[in-house]
Amino acid sequence: MNRRHFIKWTSVGIASAWGLGSLSMARAAQPFKVVVMGGGFAGATAAKYLKLWGGASVDVTLVEPKTTYHTPILSNLILNDSISPAKLGMNYDTLTGQYKVTHKANKISSIDPTEKRITLDDGSTLTYDRLIVAPGVDFKYTNTYDVNKVPHAWQGGAQVTDLRRQIETMPSNGHFVMTIPPSPFRCPPGPYERACVVADWLNRNKPNAKVIVLDANPDIVVEKESFGARFSQYGVEYHSNVKVTAVNSDTKTVSVSGAPRASYTAEVLNVIPAHKAGASALLSAAGLLSGDWAPVNARTFESSQVSDIHIIGDAQATGVPKAGHIANSEAKVCAEAILNSLHGKPNNSAQKINSACYSPVSATEATWLTGTYSYSDSTKAWIKVNPSFAAGPPSRKHYREMFGWSSNLFSDTFA
Amino acid sequence: MKKSTLASVISSALLASACGGSSTNPQTGTSSYTLKGTVPGTLIEAYCDDGSTYSVTSTKNGTAEHPFEIKLPTTLACRIVMITNEDDAENKVITPIKFIDVDGKASIAVKSSADSVDVGHVDLSMTRADMKADDNDDGVEDKPKEVTVDDGTLTVVVKANDPLDKDNDGIPNVYEDDDGDGVPNHDDDDDDGDGIKDIDDNDHDNDGVPDDDLDGDGIKNKNDVDDDNDGIKDKYDDDDDDDGIKDDDDDDDDNDGIKDEDDDDHDDDDKRGDDQNLTVRTAKKFTLPTTYVADATGGRQLTAQCAQCHGTNGYSVGRIDSLSEEQDEIVEEMAEMSRERNDHIMKAQAKGYTAAEARSISNYMRQIVSKYGRK
């Protein structure tokens, strides 16, 4: 009997499971233990909603080494000095205080899916009835180089502040060169948004500076009309189908193929490398990965390879966009599915998740992009509800709405 | 403050009917008097203390003196502006009127408790060349034309600080030319010439202080019964800000980007001004359940999918509507939003949900509101 069938069988009859004397079954009593790995938009939302809906029936432990999480969302506004970095720092005080989530400021060093146990970097262990893995993304570097000199600034926090400092101090006729990774990558509008925001700032502050965008994709991935128009307006030099082959952080040179030149040297070089699931060594050792990402049952986000472990957010492989808003969305579906499963309740067949993002394109204007997905019982996948997919043009109104959106998204996740 | 396309349509409709002598008048329920007289072919406009506006065109009668009648509210002081060649943007002549009453007092603001006031014939310049003085070439007479009504029917209201004429020069704010581009604010879609269209600009005079005065008439929106000066009072106007989005579908009826009650500091004068607009907080302390209750309806999960923008359990912390304050209108609003022609994000999102799902969300929100209240 493989483990999956074993679990399915035992969930039908808890009494007989007790009789088997299985350690994991002995633990399957209330309060259930759910461990969440990763305190970003996916993990923090899952922890909060498990307690909001599950209350005393579930113990939730959030394992996240950081005590302050810096959101990548809105972080391009640090690059044009429109927002202070501290403003994007989120803590877990409400989750631990109001929602009774236990926060362990540790890294997970190993996962044992058979014993349903994780080991932390301090040597302590935690057992779980369900484990939610929300590690975000990691990068596939072309070669070893100093990311302090060539930051990706794609995970919020210190690298973004570093990149801002570099932009601020670059010579007035300097070059800002950024590379965009091949899809799928976190936040599809993000790199184009960044190029716009930086170009707009440079145009106003260092009008002789030059912005060059080297995109691995065949074209602007999303909102081409808005971003393309802004690239023209700002004088951004854009090349598609450009593959990064090497990065030299000492000379700040990126070697490429498919661009007019074989290499670009810049005063400020922002290479955003190709993505893979975060904590990939750990996930790989636990048998969760297939290629770069973790395949899941789309309805519950349970791993299709390992029982009782769910993967949400950027690391999972359902094919929906990788971004904070939809990660929050997935987390709620996953949290309810876990609670229903632990309590022996059925899931509703129909379900929806959604993606939404506002992208600043200057210090005063933003665009939006949105869409809703419906779970299909027949294809076992998240299917686009086509009429709901749309983009909004740059406007000051959308820029202001962006703060209404992010205030609620951040609060729904962290507060 | 130039009208949007929609407003132009409305205005021309009014003008068309005005040729027959009809007018936009004070809505029923307020007492009014009739101001009448004769003019050359003219559009007569009135700007009143509560921000309301009225207009009428004179009636052609085959002579050079066309009669007009305009009903104005008895209780409010109004300012009269007369416009010849009103359909010709390049050649129209705009003449504010300063009245002198029986006591010899003079002001552009007048009211009356009589049934009607006859101002007699008002002779107006018909061409720019005939204007008395127009130093800034905006088609507005630099000084108002003086008209005496000495039969006691008209009362002049002398104001030390008239909000509708801030510089007290006898030219209402709406007919100043703030940016000096030769187009008076009334006809200028960018009053302050800052490159931000008035419809998107909450600071028409570009002084760095948000003026919350969509039509730039000097009366703040919250006190203005006609925010967009389209002659239709807001309570009758289904599109207060004239942005072409019906109010029912417009989360921002006054188009300043935010709901008035949330309007604190959005002045764009500080490079980090909007920084303050990111608010991360707990809107509501929810009770954690002691036992798990599954939700077979799906409403709980669907409602949670709204929370990214509308707040946990529908209690918003930002400028987006709280579902908790409109739990009974969700079905109707989502249906309306999905049909509108605009660039609102909710128009797209509304299409992602069925009517049954919207009902499910509404039902769940009713449960939440019954437990935690509307705010």
Side-chain angles (χ1 to χ4, degrees):
Chain A
M1 176 190 295
N2 72 27
R3 179 153 189 91
R4 172 157 286 269
H5 286 135
F6 172 78
I7 295 299
K8 283 191 172 154
W9 175 73
T10 53
S11 68
V12 175
I14 296 292
S16 58
W18 276 97
L20 287 170
S22 155
L23 192 62
S24 61
M25 286 308 107
R27 283 196 301 267
Q30 295 194 35
F32 300 111
K33 291 192 183 70
V34 180
V35 174
V36 182
M37 170 188 166
F41 282 90
T45 304
K48 171 173 166 173
Y49 275 77
L50 281 165
K51 290 299 289 182
L52 178 67
W53 294 334
S57 77
V58 60
D59 279 343
V60 177
T61 303
L62 177 66
V63 184
E64 164 58 58
K66 292 189 283 289
T67 53
T68 303
Y69 171 83
H70 288 91
T71 72
I73 296 176
L74 296 189
S75 69
N76 284 331
L77 294 179
I78 292 171
L79 301 181
N80 68 351
D81 201 26
S82 288
I83 201 164
S84 52
K87 197 83 184 172
L88 300 183
M90 305 293 134
N91 63 50
Y92 303 106
D93 294 351
T94 308
L95 292 189
T96 56
Q98 190 170 319
Y99 288 92
K100 312 296 179 199
V101 171
T102 303
H103 176 210
K104 291 230 174 242
N106 293 89
K107 272 187 157 169
I108 295 181
S109 49
S110 70
I111 299 170
D112 182 342
T114 310
E115 294 301 321
K116 298 172 77 169
R117 186 174 62 205
I118 60 167
T119 305
L120 304 182
D121 55 0
D122 63 1
S124 64
T125 60
L126 286 170
T127 56
Y128 62 81
D129 295 309
R130 295 299 172 104
L131 172 65
I132 295 177
V133 174
V137 296
D138 208 342
F139 301 100
K140 301 199 281 189
Y141 296 99
T142 50
N143 55 289
T144 305
Y145 60 86
D146 185 351
V147 293
N148 293 318
K149 291 179 180 165
V150 181
H152 52 72
W154 209 236
Q155 293 175 307
Q159 283 202 14
V160 181
T161 314
D162 278 356
L163 186 59
R164 165 63 193 168
R165 194 174 308 121
Q166 290 193 21
I167 292 167
E168 201 170 11
T169 56
M170 74 188 257
S172 63
N173 61 350
H175 292 73
F176 175 87
V177 172
M178 72 177 289
T179 72
I180 299 176
S183 293
F185 57 87
R186 162 180 283 182
C187 187
Y192 308 99
E193 162 191 321
R194 172 175 291 178
C196 287
V197 163
V198 170
D200 169 63
W201 187 86
L202 288 173
N203 279 352
R204 286 180 287 113
N205 293 279
K206 304 184 185 209
N208 294 313
K210 177 82 186 161
V211 174
I212 299 172
V213 176
L214 306 171
D215 191 347
N217 299 285
D219 204 343
I220 294 174
V221 172
V222 290
E223 300 180 69
K224 185 187 172 188
E225 196 178 332
S226 294
F227 292 129
R230 289 297 163 130
F231 282 5
S232 302
Q233 180 186 331
Y234 297 146
V236 171
E237 184 181 325
Y238 173 80
H239 301 290
S240 58
N241 285 318
V242 179
K243 184 177 165 61
V244 174
T245 54
V247 176
N248 184 329
S249 51
D250 290 331
T251 59
K252 290 198 181 175
T253 301
V254 58
S255 301
V256 296
S257 62
R261 284 150 53 188
S263 70
Y264 290 80
T265 299
E267 286 80 358
V268 182
L269 180 57
N270 175 213
V271 172
I272 306 171
H275 289 20
K276 60 182 177 181
S280 56
L282 182 73
L283 270 59
S284 181
L288 295 169
L289 295 185
S290 172
D292 290 329
W293 310 103
V296 293
N297 169 334
R299 178 63 187 83
T300 62
F301 292 94
E302 185 178 14
S303 168
S304 29
Q305 303 179 172
V306 182
S307 292
D308 299 329
I309 299 180
H310 298 243
I311 302 99
I312 53 175
D314 296 348
Q316 52 78 28
T318 59
V320 302
K322 301 186 182 302
H325 180 109
I326 197 168
N328 166 300
S329 181
E330 296 159 20
K332 294 162 182 168
V333 170
C334 176
E336 190 170 54
I338 286 176
L339 289 169
N340 284 341
S341 171
L342 289 171
H343 288 275
K345 306 288 185 187
N347 283 322
N348 301 300
S349 57
Q351 206 45 263
K352 295 271 167 78
I353 55 175
N354 62 71
S355 182
C357 183
Y358 283 82
S359 290
V361 295
S362 71
T364 54
E365 302 148 294
T367 65
W368 57 256
L369 179 66
T370 196
T372 299
Y373 294 82
S374 183
Y375 179 71
S376 162
D377 266 331
S378 56
T379 62
K380 310 291 181 201
W382 293 104
I383 306 296
K384 286 182 175 182
V385 182
N386 283 322
S388 70
F389 277 75
S395 76
R396 295 172 69 93
K397 184 175 176 178
H398 295 155
Y399 188 87
R400 291 186 288 250
E401 282 175 4
M402 174 171 69
F403 293 98
W405 161 73
S406 50
S407 293
N408 278 315
L409 174 59
F410 294 4
S411 299
D412 185 45
T413 304
F414 297 100
Chain B
M1 170 75 216
K2 190 181 180 179
K3 299 279 170 47
S4 70
T5 313
L6 181 69
S8 306
V9 172
I10 291 173
S11 303
S12 19
L14 291 172
L15 288 175
S17 62
C19 292
S22 69
S23 63
T24 51
N25 285 326
Q27 275 84 12
T28 51
T30 57
S31 59
S32 61
Y33 71 96
T34 302
L35 186 83
K36 62 185 180 182
T38 58
V39 285
T42 301
L43 170 66
I44 294 101
E45 295 178 337
Y47 294 88
C48 304
D49 277 353
D50 62 352
S52 59
T53 69
Y54 308 96
S55 65
V56 67
T57 47
S58 58
T59 306
K60 287 180 187 169
N61 62 355
T63 75
E65 300 186 359
H66 298 187
F68 74 90
E69 291 188 359
I70 184 167
K71 283 199 168 68
L72 299 173
T74 301
T75 51
L76 300 169
C78 299
R79 296 132 197 87
I80 308 298
V81 177
M82 297 187 172
I83 304 157
T84 53
N85 267 326
E86 70 269 18
D87 291 331
D88 183 345
E90 300 295 314
N91 294 305
K92 67 161 90 170
V93 176
I94 297 152
T95 310
I97 306 296
K98 178 186 274 188
F99 289 97
I100 300 165
D101 69 9
V102 65
D103 299 325
K105 290 191 296 180
S107 172
I108 60 167
V110 293
K111 63 181 180 182
S112 173
S113 52
D115 288 339
S116 69
V117 175
D118 190 342
V119 302
H121 182 66
V122 183
D123 190 20
L124 300 164
S125 303
M126 293 294 289
T127 65
R128 297 268 170 119
D130 291 341
M131 289 176 69
K132 302 283 181 291
D134 183 17
D135 286 353
N136 59 351
D137 286 328
D138 64 352
V140 181
E141 290 282 5
D142 290 346
K143 286 192 175 144
K145 180 178 179 65
E146 295 190 350
V147 172
T148 301
V149 181
D150 56 7
D151 61 3
T153 55
L154 193 71
T155 306
V156 156
V157 181
V158 179
K159 294 183 178 249
N161 297 297
D162 186 350
L164 289 150
D165 177 19
K166 284 177 183 162
D167 60 0
N168 201 30
D169 65 351
I171 313 295
N173 303 328
V174 294
Y175 281 111
E176 298 287 354
D177 177 18
D178 287 346
D179 57 3
D181 64 354
V183 180
N185 298 344
H186 183 277
D187 299 328
D188 194 342
D189 63 359
D190 179 12
D191 292 358
D192 53 8
D194 65 354
I196 304 160
K197 299 281 188 212
D198 292 333
I199 197 76
D200 288 323
D201 195 349
N202 191 30
D203 180 12
H204 292 328
D205 53 5
N206 222 21
D207 65 352
V209 180
D211 34 45
D212 298 322
D213 179 14
L214 181 71
D215 52 18
D217 65 357
I219 308 292
K220 286 199 183 295
N221 298 335
K222 65 177 179 180
N223 298 322
D224 193 334
V225 299
D226 181 10
D227 286 359
D228 55 5
N229 260 6
D230 69 351
I232 305 169
K233 286 188 181 178
D234 295 338
K235 66 175 174 176
Y236 303 101
D237 192 348
D238 60 0
D239 181 12
D240 289 356
D241 56 10
D242 234 345
D243 66 353
I245 306 168
K246 293 264 191 286
D247 294 336
D248 286 348
D249 306 301
D250 195 344
D251 69 336
D252 175 19
D253 291 355
D254 62 2
N255 227 31
D256 69 350
I258 38 185
K259 295 203 290 184
D260 284 351
E261 64 264 33
D262 294 330
D263 199 344
D264 39 31
D265 173 25
H266 314 292
D267 52 11
D268 296 326
D269 62 347
D270 172 355
K271 64 181 176 175
R272 282 187 180 166
D274 281 308
D275 188 314
Q276 301 308 312
N277 300 327
L278 178 65
T279 307
V280 182
R281 65 180 173 87
T282 303
K284 201 87 177 168
K285 186 163 183 180
F286 302 107
T287 313
L288 304 185
T290 51
T291 56
Y292 178 67
V293 180
D295 170 48
T297 70
R300 179 172 70 189
Q301 181 62 243
L302 286 166
T303 304
Q305 296 297 331
C306 306
Q308 293 97 303
C309 298
H310 294 280
T312 305
N313 277 343
Y315 295 90
S316 174
V317 303
R319 303 164 182 157
I320 298 177
D321 287 352
S322 287
L323 301 181
S324 60
E325 291 179 80
E326 48 193 45
Q327 79 275 18
D328 295 325
E329 291 106 55
I330 290 168
V331 177
E332 185 189 347
E333 290 215 0
M334 285 180 72
E336 277 181 9
M337 285 182 288
S338 67
R339 288 194 300 266
E340 280 300 320
R341 294 172 62 86
N342 58 43
D343 61 5
H344 198 288
I345 193 167
M346 198 54 212
K347 178 199 171 185
Q349 268 297 316
K351 292 178 181 170
Y353 298 85
T354 64
E357 287 170 336
R359 274 195 298 279
S360 190
I361 293 167
S362 183
N363 288 337
Y364 188 74
M365 279 312 303
R366 286 192 184 112
Q367 291 176 43
I368 291 289
V369 169
S370 70
K371 190 167 177 186
Y372 295 106
R374 285 174 75 83
K375 290 196 175 187

